[in-house]
Every structure is written in structure tokens, then in C-alpha cells.
Amino acid sequence: MPRRAPIVIAGTVAGLAAVLSFKPHESGVSKAVASASTPATSDGHDTFTGSAIATRYGTAQVEVTVVNGKITNIVAVALPDDEPKSVAISTQAEPTLKQEALTKQTAAIDAVTGATITSAGYEASLQSALDRAGFTAADGARGSSTIPNVEKHGDHGGFDGDDGAPPGFAPPRG
């Protein structure tokens, strides 16, 4: 048993060093610059790129395809990706945001829990693209998100406590 300790410690140190030296690759998606609108065909099928919306964690920008007055596809051209956690949050939120917009046929969508800033940027860019397309939702709903003005925290949290818990929260005592 004592012979294993140096091997385990060496492996732990090597693994920790590898994790700490990890540098995520640059995402080409967030660097993309798209035109205001790009008609795809002349049969009522057009693709429009929304404004690039700056957020605390990176840029959000979408491209929407409208066919015969219906939103048929949304592609995230850029999503917040300033930090690895931003990438994880955006990647997890994007399918939900896309599906809700396609289902509701509007940019007036609900924010994804834990991805408020990504959701707001997505919604604002989508509304911009729909405006460029001259698209109006059947019920007249419009995306109206404003980007939250929050301090940037390394943990993406917003609580004042240094333990990451909401003010007034006390964990149960066991």
C-alpha cells in the first residue's frame, strides 16, 4: 500500500497541472461577421442575420430563415464564449432557445434558467433579424429583452456572499 502513494500523488499532480494549463481553442463561430441579410432564393425563402449583441460574456448573434411567412430555422452565428463556463452555458441554452422561437414563431421567448444573459442576447439578435425580414408574429409579440447590467463574476454568479449562496440563505444543519 505505501508504494502506491507516490504514484497516486504524482498522477494527481500531473492531472492537476494538465487541467490548469488547459487553454480552450478559439471558436470561429463567435468571430464570424455576417451581412445584414442574404436572400437564399427568390421563392419566399430568405435568410436574415440579426445584430451582433454585446454581452458581458461575449457576443450573441443569430441568423433566421423565413419561408413563406414562417420561421423555419435559426442558426446561432455567435454565442457568448469569453470563458469556458460561458461556452458551456451557451451550448446548453441554445437548443432550448431555438426550439421555443420556432414553436412560438416569435422572438418573444422565455429566458433559459442559468443562461439569462445568453437568452437576452439571443432574443435581441433574433428580433433584429426578424425586423430585417419584415416578419411580424401572428399575435404581434416582439422580443423585448434588454441585456442585464450585471457585474462579471468568474463563476457567472450574481450573489453578494462570498460562498456563492443567495443573501439570507442558510444551509440545513445536520
Side-chain angles (χ1 to χ4, degrees):
M1 198 75 134
R3 290 181 169 167
R4 287 188 182 172
I7 294 171
V8 171
I9 292 171
T12 302
V13 169
L16 182 59
V19 168
L20 293 176
S21 67
F22 177 75
K23 302 257 192 269
H25 74 286
E26 288 291 322
S27 171
V29 172
S30 68
K31 306 290 186 232
V33 176
S35 63
S37 65
T38 309
T41 65
S42 59
D43 64 355
H45 175 251
D46 291 312
T47 302
F48 299 88
T49 303
S51 297
I53 307 298
T55 74
R56 291 223 180 256
Y57 299 108
T59 302
Q61 186 175 33
V62 301
E63 184 178 86
V64 63
T65 302
V66 178
V67 178
N68 298 323
K70 291 193 79 158
I71 302 169
T72 59
N73 195 28
I74 303 166
V75 175
V77 176
L79 290 173
D81 67 351
D82 281 1
E83 301 170 4
K85 188 163 186 176
S86 301
V87 174
I89 290 170
S90 295
T91 301
Q92 198 167 22
E94 190 273 335
T96 302
L97 296 166
K98 176 180 179 176
Q99 188 57 50
E100 185 173 359
L102 289 170
T103 300
K104 288 185 169 185
Q105 289 291 297
T106 180
I109 54 178
D110 295 325
V112 173
T113 302
T116 305
I117 292 173
T118 296
S119 299
Y122 188 99
E123 180 180 2
S125 183
L126 178 57
Q127 186 58 59
S128 169
L130 293 174
D131 289 345
R132 289 177 177 157
F135 180 90
T136 303
D139 64 358
R142 294 181 49 82
S144 59
S145 280
T146 55
I147 307 306
N149 187 15
V150 297
E151 283 186 43
K152 185 172 181 176
H153 295 277
D155 66 352
H156 287 253
F159 300 122
D160 293 332
D162 48 19
D163 62 356
F169 175 79
R173 296 182 185 224

